[in-house]
Each structure stands twice: as structure tokens, then as C-alpha cells.
Amino acid sequence: EYKALKTLDVSCNAIGDDAAGSVSEVLAQKDCQLEKLCLSMNCMSSYGISKLMEGVAENLDGSLREVDVASQESGHAKTSFNEEIGGRNGPKVKSKFLGLR
């Protein structure tokens, strides 16, 4: 029997901006059943994270509820996302992108 992957933790894997675009393509697919994606402590810049979130934005009706992109090391700088964005009924966006739906 086929079972869909619900949680994927690929933290601490040196995932950079190039890979973020590929991950974004997967997250944008309507049949993506992933609920939680942990990408913390990788090598994405704000550009890579924005590419990643483009895929999330294309599939807001999907299963994804949490994306963790905390503590990114990209070249010479460390990027950490701690601000919350979103209105009362909108998605909650933090270092862990929670409540995407």
C-alpha cells in the first residue's frame, strides 16, 4: 500500500538556494501531501527562502502546515527568521512557517 510522506527533516544538510527552487516545485504540486518540512540550519539566503515560499504560495490549499527555515548560513552571513507576518485569518509566518492553511 502506498503511503505519502507527511514529515521530512533535512536540517543540517547544506541545502542552498539552488536546491530551494527544486523543493519549491515539489511543494507547489497539488498532490503534495507533506505536512511538515524542516530545513533549519542549511545554507539558504533570503532569496532561496523566497523561492521556497513561492511553491508554498502556489499550493495554499495543500497539506503543508509547517516549514522550518531557522538559522540559515549563507556565505558570510547567518540568516534567522523570527518575525510573524499575516493577518487575523492569514497564514502565520515565523522561523517556522506555521498555520499555512
Side-chain angles (χ1 to χ4, degrees), residues 1 14 18 24 26 31 46 72-73 90-91 94 100-101:
E1 178 182 325
D18 292 339
S24 177
V26 172
D31 60 348
S46 56
Q72 299 294 316
E73 295 272 350
K94 295 185 177 182
L100 294 171
R101 185 170 162 185

Side-chain angles (χ1 to χ4, degrees), residues 30-42:
K30 299 299 179 197
D31 60 348
C32 179
Q33 295 182 25
L34 194 65
E35 295 175 0
K36 181 178 179 180
L37 175 60
C38 183
L39 289 162
S40 63
M41 295 186 283
N42 278 294

Side-chain angles (χ1 to χ4, degrees), residues 17-96:
D17 291 345
D18 292 339
S22 299
V23 173
S24 177
E25 289 177 21
V26 172
L27 297 177
Q29 295 177 9
K30 299 299 179 197
D31 60 348
C32 179
Q33 295 182 25
L34 194 65
E35 295 175 0
K36 181 178 179 180
L37 175 60
C38 183
L39 289 162
S40 63
M41 295 186 283
N42 278 294
C43 300
M44 287 185 284
S45 68
S46 56
Y47 172 79
I49 292 173
S50 68
K51 292 300 288 180
L52 181 73
M53 294 312 293
E54 285 175 13
V56 172
E58 286 183 37
N59 192 11
L60 286 177
D61 292 331
S63 300
L64 192 63
R65 300 286 179 274
E66 182 178 327
V67 179
D68 184 350
V69 293
S71 300
Q72 299 294 316
E73 295 272 350
S74 60
H76 305 290
K78 184 172 184 177
T79 308
S80 191
F81 297 85
N82 295 316
E83 298 176 18
E84 184 173 313
I85 302 169
R88 224 164 124 163
N89 297 321
K92 297 298 179 197
V93 180
K94 295 185 177 182
S95 61
K96 290 185 176 181

